[in-house]
Amino acid sequence: MASSDDNAVGRLTSILSHLSPLSASKDKTMSYFDSVPQAPPDGILKLSVLSRADTDTNKVDLGVGAYRDDNGKPWVLPVVAKAEQRLQNDPNANHEYMGVGGLPSLTGGAQTLIFGSDSPAIHDGRLYTLQTISGTGANMLGAVFLKEFKVPADAAIYISKPTWGNHRSIFETAGHKVREYRYCNYQTLTLDINGMLEDLRTAPSGQIIVLHACAHNPTGIDPTEEQWSKIADVMAERGHFPFFDCAYQGFATGDVDRDALAIRMFVSRGFELFVAESFAKNMGLYGERTGCLHVVTKDSTLLPAVSSQLNRLSRATISTASAYGAKIAGTVLQDKALYSEWLANMQTMSDRIKSMREALRSKLTELGTPGDWSHVTSQIGMFSFTGLSLDQVETLRNKYHMYLTDDGRISVAALNSNNVEYVAKSIDAVVRAAK
């Protein structure tokens, strides 16, 4: 006959067997992660995988968001190579942590670059800048800050239709509701300024509006100075908060001041705002993840509290920013000779992209490709919004080994003298086939 102690042990063993995920037979196939759904594939990353797997000699990867030279190769800017050599020769070089705010030579130089040396925000002490993990990190840090402190608390984030593929993901991940405002006229492939202004005007007051400072991604369509003024008028009228994303300053037109026109206009008109800045494109520091988040406040007395909260959030997410790219960019920004050479390097990239736009349009015109292709040269920056349909894009991908995004965006920087004719003939073929 079993003792009471034996019975107690038996009951305890039975209970433990039900509680333990390792011993319960019904739990052997279960996982803590069973409820995690598959995330939708990232369009750009998916495209890169497909392109890398394609061994056809005619392959053209038009999806890559990085500058390529006329041989289709990555280009290390000569000025960046010089800055790197200087860093390597520095006897005091080290790999110590930087402060939470980042490298002062970078953040200070970035302020002047974006806002201008005569900026009232700099002069009045209303501007704070901290280093981030490139432009993506700047967008995310701003998004997290706004989720905690935005006024009104239910304000939504408004992004252009279309916009950079990561914008929606960043702001939704931070917990915001994301809405769209009209931007591209898909019939003419020009700015739908009336639709944009109407959407900004009818949005509830105090919304957060994400604006591309220059070289709009993916369309390459930028407002004129007059149109920017109208946008500012409506945003002031409705009390909206501008959140500029600036990834192409100097790279877009070759002129850093021209590319910063919209930001400086809004500052001069008294807006408080955020600017996310990246040095990936204009310095070619893609993998170094070098960027900044700038905040302009109405009054200098507000800055200590705002900067303290940004520092807190940055510390909680990345501790401190990476040093190497910051040291390169900071060296270039603070040295007059290197800075001048950098401007020339950017002009080289900008000019080559413009020449490829002209070459593609010229080839399409020579072929008599149906449609109006003037948008190829009227758009600006790294990308061109071709207006090709999804069916045409898939045909280009499957039949002609050309890889562009589903919305018809191509990276003009991927064109060169060796492939532009093939690209034009392929586009001509799919356009004619659809007629």
Side-chain angles (χ1 to χ4, degrees):
M1 181 176 180
S3 69
S4 60
D5 287 345
D6 290 338
N7 290 334
V9 170
R11 288 195 298 272
L12 181 59
T13 300
S14 176
I15 292 171
L16 289 175
S17 70
H18 286 86
L19 292 177
S20 172
L22 297 177
S23 59
S25 58
K26 71 173 184 178
D27 290 333
K28 285 182 179 179
T29 60
M30 294 179 65
S31 166
Y32 185 82
F33 303 105
D34 278 342
S35 63
V36 179
Q38 181 73 36
D42 182 282
I44 300 295
L45 298 181
K46 174 185 173 183
L47 203 62
S48 296
V49 171
L50 292 173
S51 176
R52 284 197 297 270
D54 190 338
T55 58
D56 191 90
T57 56
N58 289 320
K59 178 183 71 175
V60 183
D61 188 347
L62 298 172
V64 60
Y67 181 78
R68 296 290 182 261
D69 65 16
D70 198 50
N71 295 311
K73 303 297 183 182
W75 190 52
V76 177
L77 275 62
V79 71
V80 167
K82 288 182 179 179
E84 286 187 284
Q85 190 62 53
R86 184 177 296 184
L87 293 173
Q88 291 168 9
N89 293 337
D90 182 359
N92 297 313
N94 59 62
H95 298 284
E96 293 296 299
Y97 289 122
M98 295 188 297
V100 174
L103 188 68
S105 61
L106 170 68
T107 55
Q111 285 186 350
T112 303
L113 180 68
I114 285 280
F115 297 95
S117 58
D118 59 348
S119 172
I122 295 176
H123 181 268
D124 299 340
R126 299 185 289 110
L127 170 62
Y128 179 65
T129 300
L130 73 166
Q131 188 184 334
T132 59
I133 305 300
S134 201
T136 301
N139 273 277
M140 179 57 84
L141 180 60
V144 173
F145 176 94
L146 290 171
K147 177 59 180 175
E148 191 166 342
F149 299 108
K150 63 184 177 181
V151 179
D154 63 350
I157 301 288
Y158 280 72
I159 57 177
S160 63
K161 182 180 181 181
T163 191
W164 175 46
N166 218 13
H167 272 150
R168 177 178 290 276
S169 179
I170 288 170
F171 288 102
E172 287 184 342
T173 298
H176 295 277
K177 291 182 179 177
V178 176
R179 300 192 174 102
E180 294 179 323
Y181 59 85
R182 282 172 284 177
Y183 191 85
C184 179
N185 181 322
Y186 288 87
Q187 299 302 313
T188 62
L189 298 179
T190 58
L191 179 65
D192 182 3
I193 185 62
N194 293 328
M196 179 181 182
L197 294 176
E198 181 181 358
D199 288 349
L200 296 181
R201 188 176 287 113
T202 56
S205 62
Q207 304 303 289
I208 300 159
I209 314 298
V210 177
L211 301 164
H212 297 236
C214 61
H216 183 275
N217 180 2
T219 68
I221 302 167
D222 283 0
T224 63
E225 183 173 357
E226 180 182 0
Q227 289 169 334
W228 273 121
S229 183
K230 291 179 179 179
I231 293 167
D233 287 342
V234 173
M235 289 188 61
E237 171 192 321
R238 299 298 298 151
H240 296 324
F241 182 84
F243 193 141
F244 281 98
D245 193 354
C246 186
Y248 300 94
Q249 187 184 5
F251 186 98
T253 66
D255 184 333
V256 293
D257 295 318
R258 180 179 171 187
D259 291 345
L261 179 149
I263 295 170
R264 296 178 187 181
M265 175 191 292
F266 274 62
V267 171
S268 71
R269 294 185 57 164
F271 280 91
E272 296 183 298
L273 51 81
F274 274 172
V275 179
E277 178 182 22
S278 168
F279 289 95
K281 306 295 193 298
N282 57 14
M283 281 199 189
L285 298 175
Y286 302 100
E288 304 304 335
R289 314 310 295 141
T290 305
C292 293
L293 178 66
H294 307 272
V295 55
V296 175
T297 60
K298 183 177 181 180
D299 189 281
S300 61
T301 61
L302 300 167
L303 212 56
V306 173
S307 62
S308 72
Q309 293 293 349
L310 286 169
N311 286 342
R312 174 183 66 85
L313 293 170
S314 179
R315 171 69 171 159
T317 52
I318 64 170
S319 184
T320 62
S322 55
Y324 189 64
K327 290 178 180 178
I328 294 171
T331 298
V332 172
L333 292 172
Q334 297 298 335
D335 184 283
K336 289 184 178 180
L338 292 181
Y339 183 82
S340 295
E341 184 174 350
W342 177 49
L343 297 181
N345 288 173
M346 283 193 289
Q347 190 68 60
T348 296
M349 293 189 288
S350 180
D351 287 348
R352 199 190 82 75
I353 288 175
K354 290 174 186 175
S355 72
M356 286 299 102
R357 287 185 178 278
E358 292 165 0
L360 178 60
R361 181 182 176 184
S362 176
K363 296 289 184 184
L364 292 169
T365 301
E366 288 175 12
L367 292 166
T369 307
D372 178 7
W373 297 95
S374 60
H375 59 274
V376 174
T377 51
S378 65
Q379 294 168 2
I380 195 172
M382 179 173 283
F383 301 111
S384 178
F385 211 51
T386 62
L388 296 170
S389 69
L390 178 58
D391 285 344
Q392 291 168 332
V393 167
E394 290 178 340
T395 300
L396 286 171
R397 191 180 301 158
N398 298 327
K399 184 176 181 179
Y400 296 97
H401 307 276
M402 279 174 46
Y403 293 86
L404 56 159
T405 57
D406 288 348
D407 58 9
R409 186 201 79 173
I410 66 170
S411 173
V412 184
L415 295 174
N416 57 59
S417 56
N418 298 312
N419 65 23
V420 67
E421 184 171 359
Y422 176 76
V423 169
K425 287 181 177 179
S426 301
I427 291 174
D428 179 76
V430 299
V431 171
R432 290 183 187 279
K435 294 297 180 181

